[in-house]
Amino acid sequence: MDILQEHLVRARASGGVFARSIAVAPWGLRLPGTIQLAVHAMIQGQAWLWLDGEDAPIELRPGYLALVRGGVDHFIAHEPGAHCVLPEDFRNQHSSDEAEHDPRAAAFLCGAYRFAGDIGAGLVNALPSVFLVPSSVDNPIHGVVALLSRELSQAEPGRQTVLDRLLDVLVVFGLRTGLASSVNAPAWVRGAADGRLSRALQAMHGDTNKPWTVDELARMSNMSRATFARVFQEVLGDTPMRYLTGWRMTVARDLLRTQDVSLIEVAERVGYSSLYAFATAFRRHHGQPPGRWRQSGQALFDATVAH
């Protein structure tokens, strides 16, 4: 079981707005921090990307992929510090077809991605504010960007489906590289890369309703109970059972927040034999029972959507 794939499935990742832009200097685009994960790829020319309030612009070249985590606004322009406008104004200013054939023009792709629940937020928050995947000769991102550019420039049947799938591919490439190198990567990234623990960790993540024991996980890892517990603590910074409980609570929160399932079903799906045992564990982690947490979480969600 691929843990990253399992996280992406649970996070119900979905692409949003995707656009191909062509502009001749001077130009600048401002993108709001409300975009949970922005994806940018250069096709032609060069651009500079920076965050609001920061003076450290990053150069984008053809073949580069940049992932920008939500929080503050970010900017893409022909030069650092250039005047930048919001997407609607940018489209109005650069809607001429003349730039399409201008060798001085910069061409780039911008996409917005959204993940659901705590699992999705955990993936995004593990990334740096801006993460750049540089170009290289054998980088498959080149081919994906070329296909995206072609689809965006031609109105062919099924275009949106193709765009969604290609955006998925770009995001996964970025997440693979970003999570592997991030100092804030989730503990499971280290565990999944450790051959001693990967099988047990995959089992814990993939089958949350099974009543795992340390002995069973140790046998699966071909280690004694004591050795397994020690290695697990060293690599993931927690005991196997505390880690498992934390993962179960994460899955439970997502189920409570995003799916219309009963409390009993949530309890069963995260490995508790009774609603009482689940409610006790949930209260210990969150300070309130799951039913009340669900109500307060839904109220917060409704208020957020309303605004």
Side-chain angles (χ1 to χ4, degrees):
M1 196 272 301
D2 183 333
I3 296 182
L4 176 56
Q5 174 65 22
E6 185 264 348
H7 272 64
L8 290 171
V9 170
R10 287 186 182 274
R12 296 172 295 284
S14 60
V17 178
F18 207 109
R20 175 176 178 265
S21 298
I22 301 177
V24 177
W27 62 269
L29 175 63
R30 178 175 189 146
L31 293 152
T34 52
I35 300 174
Q36 190 180 26
L37 183 66
V39 185
H40 303 294
M42 289 300 297
I43 303 170
Q44 173 184 308
Q46 77 176 143
W48 294 86
L49 184 152
W50 68 96
L51 299 179
D52 194 11
E54 293 191 9
D55 298 322
I58 296 172
E59 184 180 12
L60 300 181
R61 297 178 180 178
Y64 280 36
L65 174 69
L67 302 182
V68 184
R69 180 161 50 84
V72 299
D73 290 3
H74 66 279
F75 308 86
I76 302 177
H78 72 285
E79 66 180 12
H83 176 65
C84 295
V85 298
L86 293 173
E88 184 175 354
D89 293 330
F90 181 86
R91 287 192 295 270
N92 292 334
Q93 293 175 12
H94 302 281
S95 58
S96 173
D97 293 333
E98 295 179 4
E100 185 81 33
H101 306 291
D102 192 326
R104 301 170 301 163
F108 57 97
L109 306 176
C110 295
Y113 225 71
R114 178 151 295 281
F115 298 83
D118 289 0
I119 295 175
L123 282 175
V124 176
N125 293 339
L127 295 171
S129 298
V130 178
F131 181 74
L132 185 68
V133 182
S135 175
S136 63
V137 175
D138 59 348
N139 196 327
I141 288 174
H142 283 292
V144 180
V145 170
L147 284 172
L148 277 167
S149 179
R150 178 185 180 279
E151 287 297 318
L152 284 164
S153 63
Q154 301 182 26
E156 295 186 359
R159 185 176 79 156
Q160 190 58 51
T161 298
V162 174
L163 292 175
D164 289 344
R165 299 301 177 271
L166 291 175
L167 179 56
D168 288 346
V169 173
L170 273 186
V171 170
V172 172
F173 280 147
L175 285 173
R176 276 181 185 171
T177 309
L179 292 174
S181 59
S182 174
V183 296
N184 298 317
W188 61 261
V189 174
R190 298 189 301 273
D194 192 310
R196 299 168 298 175
L197 299 175
S198 58
R199 188 179 174 194
L201 195 64
Q202 289 166 0
M204 295 162 76
H205 275 257
D207 199 355
T208 53
N209 67 342
K210 185 169 181 177
W212 296 109
T213 64
V214 176
D215 287 335
E216 187 173 10
L217 294 168
R219 286 195 298 272
M220 185 181 295
S221 305
N222 295 316
M223 286 186 268
S224 69
R225 187 183 193 281
T227 301
F228 174 78
R230 176 180 55 78
V231 171
F232 197 99
Q233 177 81 48
E234 290 173 353
V235 175
L236 282 91
D238 209 347
T239 68
M241 290 298 101
R242 277 203 303 263
Y243 179 88
L244 178 60
T245 299
W247 170 239
R248 284 172 168 165
M249 291 298 105
T250 300
V251 174
R253 289 194 303 273
D254 271 21
L255 291 172
L256 289 168
R257 178 183 289 123
T258 61
Q259 297 191 25
D260 185 19
V261 294
S262 67
L263 294 180
I264 292 176
E265 185 176 352
V266 173
E268 291 174 348
R269 287 171 66 172
V270 295
Y272 290 88
S273 58
S274 70
L275 179 56
Y276 175 78
F278 168 62
T280 300
F282 195 93
R283 184 195 292 269
R284 187 180 304 120
H285 272 73
H286 302 92
Q288 57 184 323
R292 187 181 303 165
W293 187 93
R294 168 183 260 174
Q295 291 173 352
S296 60
Q298 186 60 45
L300 178 61
F301 174 79
D302 292 342
T304 302
V305 170
H307 288 84

